Amino acid sequence: MGERRFAGAGSTVSTRRFEAYVRWSTYGVAVTPVVSLFSAGLPTGREAVSGHLGWFALAAALTCVVTAGNFLVTRWALDVLVERPRAVARGVVVAWLVGLAGLVVVSLTGPVPEMRLTSAAAVGSAAAAVVPVLDARPTLYLNGAIVLVAAPLAAAGSPLGVAVGVGLITLCLWSSWSSTWVLRVLRDLQRAHEDRAALALANERLRISRDLHDVFGRTLTTIAVKSEFAAELVRRGGGERAAEQIAAVRQLADEAGNEVRRVVRGETRVTWDGEVAGARSLLASAGIRCTVTGSPVPQEYAEALAWVVREGVTNVLRHSSATQVTLATTTEDGQVQLTLANDGAGQPGTDATGRDGGGTGLRAMADRLRSVGGRVTTRRDGDWFLLDAQIPLSSPGAQRGLT
């Protein structure tokens, strides 16, 4: 799997460097013990070597096969670990296993007793080649099984030989596993970092999308209402008043650019008094009477409910044929409640936006309230459509405000 794009450059480079370190140190664990013990156990002196030349050549050839096989299998295991697997040819695996068995037999039956330790090193390093893909428990079981089988063979009749054989096998396995375990943990941490960055990016996109909908929904609706009013004034000969409305539309268009910058920077804020005043003015421009009643909204809950007023009034203008709107607030029974009602509910079976199946505005409104522990419900009462927003007075999210 390729590197994810959400991680920082420093994190990606550090992971690659550590991966290179683990890769080459694991290659060393899989190759060095066999070669070193084979070289150390060779007979010395020309006569000793010439007397066992055939055995020496066979052991050297098998050592080369095992070493190459260990390297290739270790590379495959590390590639699987880092999720970039490369297949190993079946013939290579067969040759590796046959060479490993042959080296063990030759080491145990050869004329040099010191070479018996080469069998333990060969088995341990071969096992070290595959442990990068194993968890801790399978590695522990593998270590125990190999120790029981291989260590006595490497003993050469000596308790010290058993101890050395066990130590070699255990050192090979756990040196390989521990370094690759650290790499696995580092990659998991990198994934967590990448996922967190991706989630933050997705949340930011959602915030911008929601704010653009809420802010520009109101702006565009206001422009539409004022433009329609100006057109009607022109038809009736009220040129001066129409010019005032067109000038207001232009001002709204100019303000839209500033709103875009505020949304992108996350500086979008609304106030209760500002939204109520804006709702009165906008509804009046559309010829809809607005009545505001009820108790004052606590300051810590004002912003959350101000967004509901903004979106609710926008939906009234967009999707209803209302002539009256009431906005009522109450603070009782451990919660603050806002009820926004209009008398233009439309046909039965439609939702709060006047359309079958719900709208983006209602979902965004519900999401905002849900994030601070509140909820939004809708209901009908004859031709009246009522939207209720409730926030528990103990809601800590609302007290922190919306972002």
Side-chain angles (χ1 to χ4, degrees):
M1 182 180 68
E3 298 292 343
R4 299 190 184 184
R5 300 303 181 193
F6 293 114
S11 173
T12 301
V13 171
S14 298
T15 302
R16 287 176 174 172
R17 288 177 177 174
F18 188 75
E19 179 185 331
Y21 163 76
V22 170
R23 186 176 289 273
W24 287 103
S25 62
T26 308
Y27 289 158
V29 171
V31 171
T32 303
V34 182
V35 176
S36 299
L37 286 177
F38 175 76
S39 301
L42 289 178
T44 57
R46 181 178 298 178
E47 293 182 359
V49 172
S50 61
H52 306 287
L53 188 59
W55 174 85
F56 169 77
L58 178 59
L62 292 173
T63 299
C64 290
V65 172
V66 171
T67 301
N70 285 357
F71 179 85
L72 293 175
V73 173
T74 302
R75 187 182 67 173
W76 165 82
L78 291 171
D79 288 342
V80 171
L81 176 63
V82 299
E83 299 177 356
R84 295 193 297 268
R86 287 181 287 186
V88 179
R90 185 175 300 177
V92 172
V93 176
V94 171
W96 173 59
L97 295 176
V98 171
L100 177 62
L103 181 59
V104 170
V105 172
V106 169
S107 299
L108 294 176
T109 60
V112 182
E114 290 80 2
M115 288 293 295
R116 296 173 67 90
L117 284 177
T118 304
S119 62
V123 174
S125 61
V130 300
V131 295
V133 297
L134 301 179
D135 292 332
R137 182 171 295 180
T139 302
L140 182 63
Y141 293 156
L142 179 62
N143 185 93
I146 293 176
V147 163
L148 290 175
V149 175
L153 298 178
S158 167
L160 179 60
V162 174
V164 173
V166 170
L168 277 172
I169 295 170
T170 302
L171 179 64
C172 289
L173 262 69
W174 291 104
S175 294
S176 176
W177 186 87
S178 60
S179 60
T180 53
W181 175 81
V182 175
L183 177 60
R184 186 181 290 113
V185 170
L186 180 62
R187 288 181 61 82
D188 288 343
L189 290 175
Q190 183 183 359
R191 288 194 191 94
H193 172 75
E194 294 167 357
D195 291 342
R196 184 178 63 180
L199 181 60
L201 180 61
N203 286 337
E204 182 66 6
R205 287 173 174 171
L206 178 61
R207 180 194 66 78
I208 292 175
S209 173
R210 183 182 64 187
D211 287 353
L212 284 174
H213 175 274
D214 292 349
V215 171
F216 284 98
R218 172 70 169 270
T219 301
L220 294 176
T221 299
T222 305
I223 289 175
V225 169
K226 288 186 176 294
S227 298
E228 183 179 358
F229 186 35
E232 183 64 26
L233 289 173
V234 170
R235 284 192 293 269
R236 295 183 180 184
E240 184 175 349
R241 293 184 62 191
E244 293 176 357
Q245 295 300 318
I246 293 173
V249 169
R250 179 178 179 179
Q251 182 180 0
L252 285 170
D254 291 337
E255 291 175 354
N258 294 329
E259 290 179 338
V260 168
R261 288 187 286 273
R262 286 197 297 270
V263 168
V264 171
R265 292 195 298 260
E267 298 174 354
T268 306
R269 291 291 184 271
V270 298
T271 63
W272 173 258
D273 292 338
E275 288 306 314
V276 171
R280 286 179 182 271
S281 175
L282 183 57
L283 291 170
S285 298
I288 302 174
R289 187 172 73 253
C290 178
T291 304
V292 180
T293 62
S295 56
V297 175
Q299 183 62 36
E300 58 268 31
Y301 307 102
E303 183 180 352
L305 294 178
W307 281 108
V308 176
V309 172
R310 173 180 285 245
E311 183 59 34
V313 170
T314 301
N315 284 341
V316 168
L317 293 171
R318 282 179 172 177
H319 309 298
S320 77
S321 56
T323 59
Q324 299 181 62
V325 170
T326 63
L327 195 158
T329 56
T330 58
T331 304
E332 59 185 10
D333 299 328
Q335 67 179 8
V336 56
Q337 176 169 319
L338 164 67
T339 299
L340 185 63
N342 71 84
D343 63 350
Q347 297 297 323
T350 57
D351 60 22
T353 64
R355 293 168 296 168
D356 293 329
T360 303
L362 183 59
R363 289 194 297 270
M365 197 187 311
D367 289 341
R368 285 186 185 276
L369 268 293
R370 192 180 302 113
S371 68
V372 296
R375 62 191 180 96
V376 172
T377 58
T378 59
R379 53 195 171 94
R380 283 177 175 272
D381 185 4
D383 290 335
W384 284 78
F385 184 90
L386 298 93
L387 184 149
D388 297 313
Q390 299 102 9
I391 304 178
L393 291 175
S394 59
S395 171
Q399 296 175 15
R400 289 194 301 268
L402 291 172
T403 58

